[in-house]
Amino acid sequence: IDSGHIYVLRACWNFGREVGGYESDPEDAFGAGDDPTGVLGVFFLADDIYSGEDTNSYGIDGHGTYGQFGWGFEIESRDDDAGPHNTFPGYNGLYNGLSFAGDSTPWMLFGTWQMNEQYGFGIRYENLDNDGPLNSMDPEKGGDNTVLTLGANMYDVGHNGKLGANISLVETGVSGM
């Protein structure tokens, strides 16, 4: 068993929210007011577990609402030695196409629309920028993965009682996979 540490440092700026309202204010458009609200953040992550070396990642992220619309994004810059997170002992080298690769810049964008008090819809696009080795046992390069997710929520008792349905379309970039 490998052991080590992951250190995360994050700073964020809330706008349009009351102090301390980060946990109670909505991240999607359900229950949002008419004024723009949100949070923007920067982060630094140091990891010495997965790659066997010290690895750093940097990024920015944000999410917020404006009326019946919600939005969000995240982008990360990963060091060269940030290997894919599929190299655990006993993994047997199986292909894990949705891993993050080193020397990459994965990113994500999403948007939501609250049609009324009962129904909300969302879309998220992710580019994993993971054209590293297919697995820990195979030096051959794979293709970049992208994921498009469409979703819908039906709210009964706000966030305490909702049904959600999602469909994700995954493009591997590797022929025959």
Side-chain angles (χ1 to χ4, degrees):
I1 295 176
D2 290 333
S3 66
H5 304 89
I6 296 177
Y7 302 98
V8 178
L9 176 64
R10 184 165 193 272
C12 60
W13 174 62
N14 288 316
F15 60 92
R17 297 178 174 183
E18 294 179 18
V19 175
Y22 178 74
E23 294 298 324
S24 61
D25 285 343
E27 294 182 15
D28 60 7
F30 181 84
D34 292 332
D35 296 324
T37 65
V39 62
L40 299 174
V42 296
F43 61 89
F44 168 75
L45 184 138
D47 171 358
D48 64 2
I49 296 176
Y50 296 108
S51 64
E53 301 180 29
D54 289 336
T55 298
N56 297 323
S57 297
Y58 312 86
I60 59 174
D61 62 276
H63 67 267
T65 62
Y66 183 68
Q68 53 190 128
F69 297 97
W71 56 270
F73 69 92
E74 184 174 348
I75 186 166
E76 178 183 356
S77 177
R78 298 174 51 80
D79 278 356
D80 301 5
D81 56 354
H85 289 257
N86 61 355
T87 56
F88 298 108
Y91 188 75
N92 297 327
L94 298 174
Y95 176 72
N96 182 358
L98 299 180
S99 293
F100 294 111
D103 192 22
S104 65
T105 308
W107 57 273
M108 173 275 299
L109 291 171
F110 78 82
T112 63
W113 173 58
Q114 191 68 33
M115 183 174 80
N116 56 34
E117 287 295 314
Q118 190 172 15
Y119 296 102
F121 302 93
I123 185 169
R124 179 176 57 221
Y125 181 81
E126 301 167 85
N127 182 323
L128 302 183
D129 191 25
N130 58 351
D131 63 349
L134 292 176
N135 59 56
S136 60
M137 311 296 264
D138 185 355
E140 181 182 338
K141 294 280 189 175
D144 282 341
N145 294 113
T146 59
V147 182
L148 177 66
T149 302
L150 304 172
N153 286 331
M154 183 180 81
Y155 299 89
D156 184 38
V157 189
H159 286 289
N160 294 326
K162 68 181 173 184
L163 294 173
N166 294 293
I167 185 167
S168 294
L169 310 166
V170 179
E171 184 178 330
T172 71
V174 177
S175 60
M177 304 225 60

